[in-house]
Amino acid sequence: MSLRTRTVRVDHDLDAFAIGSRSGLLWHDGDLVLAGVGEAVRLPIERPDGAAAAQAALAALAGDDDVQRPGTGPVAFASLPFDRTAAGELLVPRLVVGHDREGRRWLSITGVGDAASSEAEVAAALAEVAAVGERSVPEGAEPTSLTLQSPLPPEYWRDEVVAPVRDRIRDGELDKTVLARELRLTTNAPIDPAQVLARLRQRYRTALLFAVDGFVGASPEMLVARSGDVVRAHPLAGTAPRGADPAADAREAAELLASTKNRWEHRITIDWLLDTLLPFCSYVDAEPEPTIVTLTNVHHLGTRVEGRLSSPAASVLELVAALHPTPAVGGRPQADALALIEAFEQADRGRYAGPVGWVDGAGNGSFAVGLRSAELNEPTADRDEWVSRFFAGVGVVGDSDPAAELAETRAKFETMLGALVKP
């Protein structure tokens, strides 16, 4: 079966966020919104070494493109497992609606043969995506029963997970590892992802919003973005809770910026990322000092990284394969840190902290780190119950206080708890 993609300009208003939040395929950042409807094909990604083959398969769907910018032509969404050896896939929607900061709107249609060239199909596709954006929210009955559980008791996680790993780091086995804690929300009806995304958008306006195959979230951290030969990243490492009043909040931010422990943890990530990107680039550099990234519930240390890719430019999928997992979600040295996660964490992260984003046929794209996220509505043996799983992680170094790390997970959990549960 031969598939082709046609991209056409759209002159009238289409709410890409509403379409994507209701269809379950969405990318939303400050520059671009992409919404997918339906499914044309799924392309496998063999990891960790199959990025080039996946990019070639996506590029083979090329056809006519009247817009010619990143995010047009064939576009795929992906949410990959944290385990960098686990296979993933690219989901190419049948229809993609795009809207960029300059106000341009477009529609991409992926179909069999020349079907996507039909003007009648374009009109029908526009009507279809408009109807998706107008669906009522929520769809179906809302949950009336909610049970929140922690598979590991918080005190056990503090004393039997964080503390012994911290002690191994003090003994010099490694520099840092990142440990995550899991919560599970059981409901008597599926949670509507459109409502979750609407709450996240309202509360976390600077976050990277995404939805792919039931995995939804509002990540504060850009893993990597590629536009032409420009590559960007915005790693975060180091966290402090928000203060209860403006004065206390300012103190928390200032203490984070001055914290030796947090700045060292952050430097580990920046140095590693620059070293990993350099082989792909003719030039790459980072801001000289981290800055405070303030969210609704926490402060982070963040540093912007930008470079120029060497010719021929690596695709965003190749960059993702090289960069994931960063020390901000795995640790350093990587192999030792991942081994400790496997030994102590006692949870399957699934797609939590994995790469999530989009890629086009030319290799442009953006991938966030899948933080502040949830796997929605996993079925249970009881047909009347659904489970949504979500995680919060902390960077553990030799100076870590297990009680403070537990408190940090509680602050981070507020993001998804506030979005999953109706006020």
Side-chain angles (χ1 to χ4, degrees):
M1 180 175 65
S2 175
L3 295 177
R4 288 175 57 83
T5 298
R6 181 185 181 191
T7 299
V8 297
R9 294 180 183 275
V10 176
D11 295 327
H12 58 280
D13 189 25
L14 286 173
D15 188 340
F17 178 84
I19 293 165
S21 65
R22 288 158 173 78
S23 71
L25 285 173
L26 175 71
W27 172 267
H28 181 289
D29 61 30
D31 297 314
L32 178 68
V33 187
L34 291 173
V37 175
E39 181 179 319
V41 66
R42 290 179 183 254
L43 304 172
I45 305 178
E46 296 301 325
R47 300 168 76 209
D49 301 320
Q55 183 66 58
L58 180 62
L61 305 182
D64 301 322
D65 186 347
D66 295 339
V67 182
Q68 296 288 333
R69 62 138 291 152
T72 64
V75 170
F77 294 78
S79 55
L80 305 176
F82 176 81
D83 180 353
R84 70 186 309 269
T85 66
E89 59 185 6
L90 304 178
L91 194 169
V92 181
R94 189 167 45 82
L95 308 172
V96 174
V97 174
H99 182 198
D100 66 13
R101 181 187 288 273
E102 288 73 36
R104 289 172 292 200
R105 291 181 174 84
W106 61 89
L107 172 71
S108 296
I109 306 171
T110 299
V112 178
D114 294 329
S117 297
S118 162
E119 295 304 322
E121 184 178 47
V122 172
L126 286 169
E128 181 178 348
V129 295
V132 170
E134 293 168 359
R135 288 178 188 166
S136 62
V137 176
E139 291 190 88
E142 294 188 72
T144 57
S145 171
L146 304 97
T147 303
L148 187 65
Q149 296 175 309
S150 177
L152 292 181
E155 295 77 14
Y156 179 93
W157 186 84
R158 178 193 64 203
D159 298 336
E160 305 299 330
V161 178
V162 176
V165 168
R166 186 271 318 270
D167 292 343
R168 289 197 180 198
I169 293 170
R170 286 181 173 176
D171 290 341
E173 293 186 25
L174 69 166
D175 296 324
K176 171 188 175 181
T177 194
V178 178
L179 296 172
R181 181 171 159 241
E182 179 186 6
L183 291 182
R184 297 178 183 177
L185 182 66
T186 303
T187 57
N188 64 341
I191 294 172
D192 191 328
Q195 286 197 305
V196 175
L197 288 162
R199 293 169 191 147
L200 290 171
R201 185 189 192 189
Q202 181 180 20
R203 298 170 188 172
Y204 303 95
R205 296 189 177 277
T206 61
L208 307 168
L209 300 175
F210 56 84
V212 184
D213 278 341
F215 185 59
V216 303
S219 177
E221 184 169 359
M222 176 70 77
L223 174 63
V224 65
R226 186 263 216 187
S227 179
D229 67 349
V230 177
V231 60
R232 295 186 177 91
H234 191 199
L236 308 180
T239 305
R242 296 292 305 272
D245 58 70
D249 194 49
R251 282 195 303 272
E252 292 284 1
E255 289 172 5
L256 174 62
L257 198 56
S259 165
T260 301
K261 178 259 186 188
N262 281 289
R263 287 182 71 103
W264 185 74
E265 179 186 342
H266 187 76
R267 193 72 243 173
I268 287 174
T269 297
I270 300 306
D271 290 345
W272 178 90
L273 190 139
L274 290 172
D275 288 344
T276 305
L277 272 181
L278 185 58
F280 296 96
C281 296
S282 59
Y283 164 82
V284 63
D285 202 2
E287 294 175 314
E289 293 290 328
T291 56
I292 295 293
V293 177
T294 296
L295 304 176
T296 302
N297 54 335
V298 293
H299 298 292
H300 292 295
L301 290 179
T303 297
R304 296 189 183 278
V305 174
E306 183 170 324
R308 292 278 178 177
L309 295 168
S310 303
S311 182
S315 81
V316 72
L317 293 179
E318 294 173 272
L319 299 171
V320 166
L323 291 174
H324 173 76
T326 72
V329 293
R332 191 183 79 171
Q334 186 182 84
D336 295 334
L338 295 179
L340 281 186
I341 291 171
E342 178 70 22
F344 282 88
E345 204 167 78
Q346 302 180 47
D348 177 5
R349 291 190 181 187
R351 292 179 285 178
Y352 166 73
V356 54
W358 66 273
V359 55
D360 67 18
N364 301 302
S366 298
F367 277 78
V369 181
L371 307 172
R372 316 299 194 270
S373 57
E375 298 263 12
L376 292 186
N377 303 323
E378 295 180 350
T380 67
D382 185 337
R383 295 181 178 226
D384 295 325
E385 289 186 339
W386 288 261
V387 173
S388 296
R389 301 191 312 131
F390 52 112
F391 290 80
V394 295
V396 180
V397 295
D399 291 339
S400 290
D401 173 6
E405 304 295 3
L406 178 61
E408 183 176 322
T409 66
R410 288 171 170 151
K412 289 177 175 177
F413 274 134
E414 291 177 10
T415 301
M416 291 311 299
L417 273 174
L420 294 172
V421 178
K422 184 176 180 180

